[in-house]
Amino acid sequence: MTARPLPDLTAALTRLVDPDAPGVPDAELLRRFAETRDEAAFELIVWRHGGMVLGTCRRVLGRSPDADDAFQAAFLALALRAGSVRHGASLPGWLHRVALRSALRLRAAAIRTRHEPFPPTEVAAPAEPLPDDTAAVLDEEIGRLPDKLRVAFVLCELEGRTDSEAATQLGCPKGTVLSRLARARERLRARLTRRGLAGAAVAAVVAEPAALTAARVAATARAGVAFVTGRTEGAAPAPTAALARGVLRALAVDTLRPVAVVLAVAVLAAIAVGAALASRGPSGNDPPPSAPLVAPRFAAAPIPKAAPAPVPNYKLPTADHGLAQVDEVRFSPDGKWLVTAGSRPKGDDMESAVAVWDAATGKHLRTFTKPDGVGAALAFSPDGKLFAASCAGEAVVALWETATWKVRASVPHPIATDVYFSPDGKLLLTRSCAFEKEVISEVNVWHTDTGKRAFALARRADETFYAAEFSPDGKTLAVGNNLGVVQLFDTKTGKARTEIKPPGSKLTEAAFSRSGDKLLTWAHAAETNFAVRVWDAATGKEERKLEGDGPVRFATFSPDGKRIATMRNTGATKGAVAWVWDAETGKKSAALTLSQEHPAEAHYLAFSPDSGLLVVCGTEQRRNGNKLITEAVGVAYSVPDGKELLRLPDVEGVMFNHTGTAAALLKRTREGDEVTVRGVAELLKQK
């Protein structure tokens, strides 16, 4: 085939320095390399996207030989697949995915034969400490975005392109780029919030692309040509070539088997997120996610009395029903239903989905989907008769009747991050906390029978609503904000009754005791005081404080109201990550450690319904030479003494059913996300 002349590459390379100058389209460069093995074309691709690729690898591996290996492996994979990357416009997103997979594979390896990085073309920078999980979790969640959203985000946020440049690259209007970028930010914000990462922490790791040297780029281009032609001159080391082939095989598996989501294979081979849920409750590395599932508030719902039922023991076939990635798992309060929320492939994109299962048998009943976000926030009414889930793309929260699973009403709410029912099920609260060009933060309360708004909270200047919760009698709504204030509102009028301001606190949250007479407050961040405080809910007077040694990620009363559990929010550290306190005296009864030897961080905490068990999930970190290996683990402790009863490797969330006789375990594996339901008594016998 006669090759078409390529525009002057010297001029093209010069234009790369000026991001506003038009360049040779990626599609043309890919075609040229695939057809003629043109090294200059491949070198231009490395110049154009190498900074983003190297930055991705270093966010996972730090400035290390492994980061260099992962960088080279990503471009070796591209050299081998240049002819099959369908659209040049999608190349940035494809490279980000491959780079992250390569880096996570190296990070996940507990022991790897070292080899000299190829090639030694630049002076090694001074050793840096390995990055914390924030960066890796961010890249993991970027990789989980649908292709169209991921490419827009990578171009604008990771490669630093302007909206206009990204539009030219993608061949679409600028408005389309802005829309995709906004949707990508929205999804990332929701997922990262569920995993316990604040916007400031995320912004700190989305930095300028890593700087490249001419020697690195030239050597990488030569290695790419050698890789596909069999040439020995300039070839990459065998381990790097093997890494590239392994990542490509994993991508092929993803295409053929929906069970493996974008990044799930590599990302959670070394660890797990959450709580996804966050809240999946809580609740993103093949990553070692510092992955929080957000602690579920449904644990505080009244426990309906029910006749004894057979203890379930099954594994949900989530993959068979299209749920490649599972972010949240919830039992209905009446114990009849189990829902799993996450996403699944749809063509080149991903769509969010909520699957409904029979909680007794694990039988699949139905799956709801929305291209732009079903399940970002979800909740059952206390009697289990209603189910609410946000639909981000349509800026609504839908309300289903579980008897028929038909939609009763849809209420408008942009970017809903939380939904809660009042104890009698007559009111539905929707809350948003988002940051676009301006802060989007709303708390609305709706009538569930009509879908009409009961009231909306007025937001003060600079105020952002961070948490909201109904009192057990449904008469009061507690709302915490970024100003360090908790306000108590009358749910009939929507008017504030009492304001509580813990000294020196910011980003304050609150939780009621089961009896409703006590209110617990804590702060994610604080200026001078790290105490968790107990207040009289009726008068707003402080009763006692629980002195801690750092910001608190989550706190809760036990269902019987006798204990308080708190969870540290200071990153991986040696020693205790959570504590149990006597609610009446404020004295500490147990300090809980996920690891006796290594730094650890807790992401998820929940009492069993009978208050006899406390489950803490998180990650522990081990070093193997210059590598930081992060592994997920869940531990069940007895209450109140904190005795360790059971360790659950790779588990990042444990959700109890209404009686506490069964629990759903959310686990990340090499094959994909896994949800199993087991009898609690049988689990405890495993030790």
Side-chain angles (χ1 to χ4, degrees), residues 138-491:
L138 171 63
D139 276 303
E140 175 200 347
E141 294 297 351
I142 293 171
R144 291 184 177 185
L145 290 171
D147 284 350
K148 292 180 180 179
L149 305 190
R150 184 176 65 253
V151 171
F153 189 88
V154 169
L155 282 171
C156 296
E157 299 292 354
L158 300 189
E159 293 193 352
R161 309 291 181 86
T162 65
D163 303 333
S164 299
E165 291 166 353
T168 300
Q169 167 88 4
L170 298 175
C172 63
K174 179 179 176 180
T176 300
V177 171
L178 293 173
S179 174
R180 292 176 182 176
L181 191 57
R183 291 163 60 196
R185 288 170 175 158
E186 175 185 324
R187 290 195 179 192
L188 285 173
R189 182 182 305 106
R191 291 174 178 175
L192 292 169
T193 298
R194 288 198 296 269
R195 295 180 68 163
L197 297 182
V202 172
V205 299
V206 182
E208 291 296 320
L212 298 175
T213 65
R216 179 191 289 273
V217 172
T220 302
R222 286 196 301 272
V225 174
F227 189 52
V228 295
T229 61
R231 193 173 70 191
T232 57
E233 180 184 358
T240 305
L243 175 62
R245 291 190 178 95
V247 170
L248 288 175
R249 282 196 297 271
L251 288 175
V253 169
D254 280 356
T255 301
L256 297 173
R257 298 173 53 207
V259 65
V261 205
V262 177
L263 305 178
V265 173
V267 167
L268 292 163
I271 159 181
V273 172
L277 345 197
S279 30
R280 280 116 301 337
S283 355
N285 302 329
D286 252 348
S290 151
L293 297 176
V294 175
R297 297 302 183 101
F298 70 78
I303 305 172
K305 295 182 179 180
V311 177
N313 189 341
Y314 54 80
K315 176 181 175 180
L316 293 181
T318 52
D320 294 343
H321 296 280
L323 212 60
Q325 171 188 330
V326 179
D327 294 331
E328 304 218 17
V329 182
R330 300 284 181 90
F331 283 100
S332 62
D334 60 4
K336 187 175 182 180
W337 315 104
L338 179 66
V339 297
T340 54
S343 57
R344 64 185 188 179
K346 184 180 181 181
D348 295 335
D349 214 325
M350 296 285 287
E351 65 178 359
S352 297
V354 173
V356 183
W357 315 81
D358 184 299
T361 65
K363 179 182 178 181
H364 177 258
L365 301 175
R366 56 186 47 81
T367 296
F368 303 108
T369 63
K370 285 284 183 182
D372 295 298
V374 163
L378 50 88
F380 279 101
S381 61
D383 60 7
K385 295 181 179 180
L386 297 175
F387 175 73
S390 64
C391 303
E394 298 180 6
V396 301
V397 173
L399 193 62
W400 283 269
E401 296 179 348
T402 58
T404 60
W405 287 102
K406 293 182 178 180
V407 175
R408 171 187 287 190
S410 292
V411 300
H413 194 115
I415 320 178
T417 50
D418 287 310
V419 294
Y420 299 114
F421 284 92
S422 61
D424 60 7
K426 294 181 179 180
L427 297 175
L428 176 70
L429 179 147
T430 59
R431 182 186 72 88
S432 61
C433 178
F435 302 88
E436 295 293 340
K437 294 182 178 179
E438 60 182 16
V439 175
I440 299 175
S441 187
E442 296 183 10
V443 172
N444 293 300
V445 178
W446 313 83
H447 295 289
T448 56
D449 56 348
T450 64
K452 294 182 178 180
R453 194 195 319 262
F455 61 88
L457 300 188
R459 185 166 68 91
R460 292 174 288 187
D462 300 324
E463 182 180 19
T464 303
F465 299 122
Y466 270 91
E469 181 172 300
F470 286 105
S471 62
D473 62 8
K475 296 180 180 179
T476 303
L477 177 64
V479 179
N481 64 24
N482 62 315
L483 305 177
V485 175
V486 175
Q487 290 182 287
L488 303 183
F489 294 87
D490 187 304
T491 56

Side-chain angles (χ1 to χ4, degrees), residues 56-57 60-61 66-67 69-71 73-74 77 96-114 136 239-254 257 260-261 263-271 285-288 624 627-630 669-671:
T56 299
C57 297
V60 177
L61 297 165
D66 280 352
D69 293 345
F71 170 83
H96 178 269
R97 180 189 298 181
V98 174
L100 182 57
R101 281 183 179 271
S102 300
L104 290 170
R105 282 195 167 216
L106 293 184
R107 184 172 177 171
I111 299 175
R112 185 169 79 86
T113 303
R114 297 300 305 160
T240 305
L243 175 62
R245 291 190 178 95
V247 170
L248 288 175
R249 282 196 297 271
L251 288 175
V253 169
D254 280 356
R257 298 173 53 207
V261 205
L263 305 178
V265 173
V267 167
L268 292 163
I271 159 181
N285 302 329
D286 252 348
N624 181 26
K627 292 183 181 179
L628 183 67
I629 300 170
T630 308
T669 71
R670 291 179 181 273
E671 290 72 33

Side-chain angles (χ1 to χ4, degrees), residues 533-617:
R533 298 172 185 270
V534 181
W535 310 77
D536 183 293
T539 64
K541 293 183 178 180
E542 181 180 334
E543 295 189 347
R544 67 186 58 86
K545 62 181 179 180
L546 315 178
E547 293 288 358
D549 59 354
V552 176
R553 173 170 287 170
F554 182 69
T556 185
F557 283 100
S558 60
D560 62 9
K562 296 180 180 179
R563 312 291 169 191
I564 295 171
T566 61
M567 184 168 65
R568 185 198 295 269
N569 189 36
T570 54
T573 184
K574 288 187 177 181
V577 297
W579 294 266
V580 179
W581 313 74
D582 185 291
E584 189 62 33
T585 65
K587 292 183 178 180
K588 189 185 303 180
S589 63
L592 311 179
T593 57
L594 286 175
S595 175
Q596 297 293 336
E597 302 177 0
H598 307 290
E601 181 177 8
H603 305 304
Y604 176 91
L605 179 152
F607 281 101
S608 61
D610 66 358
S611 303
L613 295 175
L614 180 66
V615 174
V616 180
C617 297

